[in-house]
Amino acid sequence: MQPPGPDLLAGAFNAAPNGFIVIDAHGTIVATNRALETMFGYGSGELPGRSIEELLPHAVRHAHVGLREGFFQQPTPRAMGTGRELYGRRADGHEFPVEIGLNPLPSAQGLLVLAAVVDISERMALEWAFRGLFDASPYGLLIVDDDGTVAMANRVLAGSLGYTPAQLAGKPL
């Protein structure tokens, strides 16, 4: 069986439901797929040639340059959701939460980075709604993980035990 040709790979890149972006060591956008363009509110072909920092909130752009340079110095895959709160910035200026996974991508142009980007706005909204209902319950509620460690306690339960919810989180049951 022959490996897939460039047309098939380009088609798969553009058909992917998640956003994908390729950047070079200078932070220049080399390629994007349709899902990423839509996610960030740009038209087809508008992003290549621009700086990756244009897709970030103004407050983190300067710091991102150092993070990007550090990645290129030690290029190892980085999974999504590694504990940082990350935000993207749409063409209209709206900021939204994202998860980003990074993968080094050797190429004829030198080392590139392939980043997978997922808009987690809906997931975050559902999480905040759940937390609101959990905290507003008139009954004491507790969530414990498989190891018997308190993952979450609401105010009613924590208060009845003489703690705050934050003080109970991470404690053994």
Side-chain angles (χ1 to χ4, degrees):
M1 184 169 170
Q2 287 185 297
D7 290 342
L8 178 63
L9 293 176
F13 182 75
N14 274 315
N18 293 334
F20 287 102
I21 186 168
V22 178
I23 67 163
D24 67 15
H26 303 289
T28 303
I29 299 169
V30 175
T32 59
N33 70 349
R34 288 186 194 114
L36 187 115
E37 292 165 346
T38 301
M39 183 186 311
F40 282 88
Y42 287 90
S44 180
E46 281 189 76
L47 289 170
R50 293 183 178 202
S51 169
I52 186 64
E53 280 78 29
E54 289 183 42
L55 300 181
L56 304 176
H58 289 288
V60 299
R61 288 181 181 182
H62 181 72
H64 184 264
V65 172
L67 294 171
R68 175 175 42 80
E69 290 171 351
F71 182 85
F72 275 93
Q73 289 173 5
Q74 293 185 322
T76 57
R78 297 190 187 159
M80 290 193 179
T82 55
R84 283 190 181 163
E85 285 190 22
L86 303 174
Y87 289 85
R89 185 175 185 277
R90 291 191 175 103
D92 65 6
H94 176 76
E95 295 178 10
F96 62 105
V98 294
E99 281 187 347
I100 301 174
L102 303 176
N103 286 287
L105 185 65
S107 77
Q109 299 168 295
L111 184 63
L112 302 173
V113 173
L114 171 64
V117 183
V118 177
D119 179 346
I120 60 170
S121 299
E122 189 173 317
R123 184 187 326 157
M124 295 295 290
L126 290 171
E127 183 179 320
W128 281 106
F130 169 76
R131 286 180 185 265
L133 291 171
F134 186 83
D135 284 336
S137 173
Y139 303 102
L141 298 175
L142 181 70
I143 297 176
V144 179
D145 68 17
D146 292 340
D147 297 325
T149 303
V150 175
M152 251 174 110
N154 71 353
R155 291 183 190 130
V156 172
L157 180 75
S160 70
L161 298 173
Y163 294 96
T164 65
Q167 289 171 320
L168 287 177
K171 301 275 191 233
L173 186 59

